[in-house]
Amino acid sequence: MSNSFYHDSAGKRYHTWNGALRDKFGGKLFKVPIDGGFDCPNRDGTVAHGGCTFCSVSGSGDMIVAPHDPLPQQFYKEVDQMHKKWPGVAQYIVYFQNFTNTHAPIAIIRERFEQVINLPGVVGLSIGTRPDCLPDEVVEYLAELNKRLYLWVELGLQTTFDQTSQLINRAHSYQIYLEGVEKLRKHNIRVCTHLINGLPGETYDMMMMNVQRTIQDSDIQGIKLHLLHLMRNTRMIRDYHEGRLQLLSKDTYISLICDQLEIIPQNIIIHRLTGDAPWDSLIGPMWSLQKWEVLNAIDHELERRNSFQGKLLQQKEAKKNATYSANL
């Protein structure tokens, strides 16, 4: 890694998803979220009941336009909405977003994925799932898809601490996550890991450790850093009322994100630094509704620090090289 300032093709001080797509496809793409009609193993009793304590009834699919429509119709309705803001875009990545999109027999998974991958303009597929839902026959099909189009598998990890996972009812261990990534990477399948900042009981040091462990222990190509959204009608409300959950302030979150970016290698694509939540279901933090203000504030803080993604790693490498040269 060279000791130089990082500046991606989208003009950011970190390796953005938007910039990575522009570099690969030569222009802007839409990532089109759809509801694949899958369930989740910690909802249906396969591994647990009730789902993750932070998860809404839609399984993180609150922003999908027409979740009950047939899959091709969902795609077209989402694209029509996007074209109102960004006309002229003609390439799409279909995102199976909510619940666990590999939690079904392989015949069902194949039938649903195949409905959308040949739609006009579709060049890629992004599949949200859990690391404990990657049986061999599913991984083999994903390996086949990886040869046919641009594929990402997005693994919900949320935390590397098993005690936190138990508290939020994830119902899988960190070791299971590591094994899941290894299975996917054997087939060169791109992996994007999801982590949540602000989970109950997690300190600043733990949130930094979540990022550090993830990038050191697993061969990932992308990462999503989410702010915890406290939603109505979720089990996490109890943690909030009983004092186990303190919502992060805007300033704290922005500082934390910049600290995390500084320890992430520059080759890892940053798919997200905050998230969306419907205003009528959100309890807090309410400042998170101003998504672009948050992203702009992250940019300004990086600029104020004269910092960028991977800066601390560069400094560490430069110090190591200087020490080596001095000992020659």
Side-chain angles (χ1 to χ4, degrees), residues 153-287:
V153 173
E154 302 194 23
L155 289 183
L157 172 60
Q158 320 313 353
T159 178
T160 65
F161 292 92
D162 285 345
Q163 64 266 36
T164 307
S165 292
Q166 293 171 7
L167 180 63
I168 64 176
N169 198 41
R170 277 303 290 175
H172 71 74
S173 67
Y174 181 50
Q175 182 59 37
I176 291 294
Y177 158 79
L178 296 176
E179 292 169 3
V181 175
E182 185 177 6
K183 291 177 72 172
L184 294 168
R185 291 303 297 149
K186 284 181 179 178
H187 298 279
N188 295 315
I189 297 169
R190 301 172 190 85
V191 177
C192 175
T193 297
H194 293 211
L195 293 171
I196 296 179
N197 286 319
L199 290 170
E202 294 211 340
T203 64
Y204 164 88
D205 287 342
M206 293 172 74
M207 288 182 272
M208 290 296 293
M209 185 62 71
N210 282 330
V211 172
Q212 185 173 352
R213 284 176 172 172
T214 301
I215 60 179
Q216 288 181 349
D217 297 347
S218 56
D219 177 21
I220 63 172
Q221 292 65 56
I223 193 167
K224 274 189 177 180
L225 299 175
H226 293 267
L227 168 68
L228 174 69
H229 291 122
L230 182 61
M231 307 288 287
R232 301 185 191 279
N233 301 317
T234 60
R235 298 165 67 190
M236 189 165 282
I237 292 175
R238 178 180 297 178
D239 295 312
Y240 181 64
H241 289 310
E242 295 180 358
R244 288 184 296 274
L245 172 63
Q246 301 294 322
L247 299 179
L248 297 177
S249 71
K250 181 179 178 181
D251 288 346
T252 298
Y253 186 74
I254 290 165
S255 181
L256 172 65
I257 285 291
C258 292
D259 291 346
Q260 290 173 327
L261 284 171
E262 289 175 343
I263 64 170
I264 298 174
Q266 292 180 1
N267 62 303
I268 292 179
I269 299 170
I270 309 300
H271 287 235
R272 175 166 284 187
L273 292 179
T274 185
D276 298 301
W279 66 269
D280 56 345
S281 300
L282 182 66
I283 295 176
M286 299 309 293
W287 56 262

Side-chain angles (χ1 to χ4, degrees), residues 19-61:
L21 292 180
R22 288 179 181 272
D23 290 344
K24 181 170 182 62
F25 293 100
K28 184 175 179 59
L29 275 73
F30 288 156
K31 188 176 183 182
V32 184
I34 63 173
D35 185 332
F38 295 95
D39 204 339
C40 204
N42 65 343
R43 286 177 179 259
D44 65 11
T46 303
V47 296
H49 291 279
C52 298
T53 60
F54 58 80
C55 200
S56 67
V57 293
S58 68
S60 300

